[in-house]
């Protein structure tokens, strides 16, 4: 096994970060735990738990606590699977694109499409918030 990371990850780029942050991740599988920590910080699982509580209260308290807790856990498991698959595919796609200068065009196009899609989704979300605030919808 090599002593350094052989994948494309933040551990390979030198940048201006302290040495400890550059050497904290030495294997590609360690990125999973970083993603898990980021996932725990997002409020999406909290929103799913709130939906479970609302469903439990509308059921007249007949819904057991295990069923309410199961919804956010299943959501977190599904998101972990999807995000891990996405990460693995993107690492392979970017690694494939770095081998050939012509493939870098693919890399730039793929990144641009991802950014464009994120901007479109953010625009739709902001428009929905503005419409709700202005009572248009």
């Amino acid at each position: 096994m090599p002593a350094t990371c052989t994948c494309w990850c933040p551990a390979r780029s030198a940048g201006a970060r302290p040495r400890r942050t550059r050497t904290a991740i030495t294997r590609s599988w360690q990125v999973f735990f970083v993603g898990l920590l980021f996932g725990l910080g997002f409020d999406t699982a909290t929103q799913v738990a709130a939906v479970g509580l609302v469903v439990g209260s509308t059921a007249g308290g007949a819904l057991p606590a295990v069923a309410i807790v199961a919804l956010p856990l299943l959501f977190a498991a599904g998101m972990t699977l999807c995000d891990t698959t996405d990460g693995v595919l993107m690492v392979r796609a970017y690694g494939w694109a770095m081998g050939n200068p012509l493939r870098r065009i693919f890399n730039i196009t793929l990144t641009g499409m991802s950014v464009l899609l994120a901007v479109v989704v953010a625009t739709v979300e902001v428009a929905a918030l503005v419409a709700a605030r202005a009572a248009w919808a």
Side-chain angles (χ1 to χ4, degrees):
M1 292 225 156
T4 59
C5 183
T6 58
C7 68
W8 182 89
C9 68
R12 288 192 69 186
S13 59
R17 295 183 310 245
R19 181 171 174 79
R20 180 180 169 109
T21 59
R22 289 193 312 247
T23 59
I25 298 175
T26 57
R27 305 275 189 261
S28 59
W29 60 268
Q30 292 172 331
V31 178
F32 169 78
F33 297 106
V34 174
L36 185 64
L37 288 175
F38 277 111
L40 291 175
F42 291 116
D43 65 335
T44 309
T46 307
Q47 290 175 354
V48 172
V51 168
L53 289 173
V54 169
V55 168
S57 67
T58 57
L63 199 60
V66 174
I68 294 172
V69 172
L71 187 61
L73 289 177
L74 288 172
F75 175 81
M79 285 300 295
T80 302
L81 176 66
C82 289
D83 287 347
T84 301
T85 304
D86 177 56
V88 168
L89 291 175
M90 292 310 293
V91 164
R92 289 187 182 190
Y94 285 129
W96 173 79
M98 289 297 169
N100 184 343
L102 187 59
R103 292 180 185 167
R104 289 188 186 151
I105 295 172
F106 167 77
N107 189 357
I108 293 169
T109 304
L110 187 64
T111 302
M113 287 172 48
S114 298
V115 169
L116 181 65
L117 182 62
V119 168
V120 168
V121 168
T123 303
V124 169
E125 288 291 325
V126 168
L129 288 172
V130 169
R133 179 70 104 170
W136 292 338

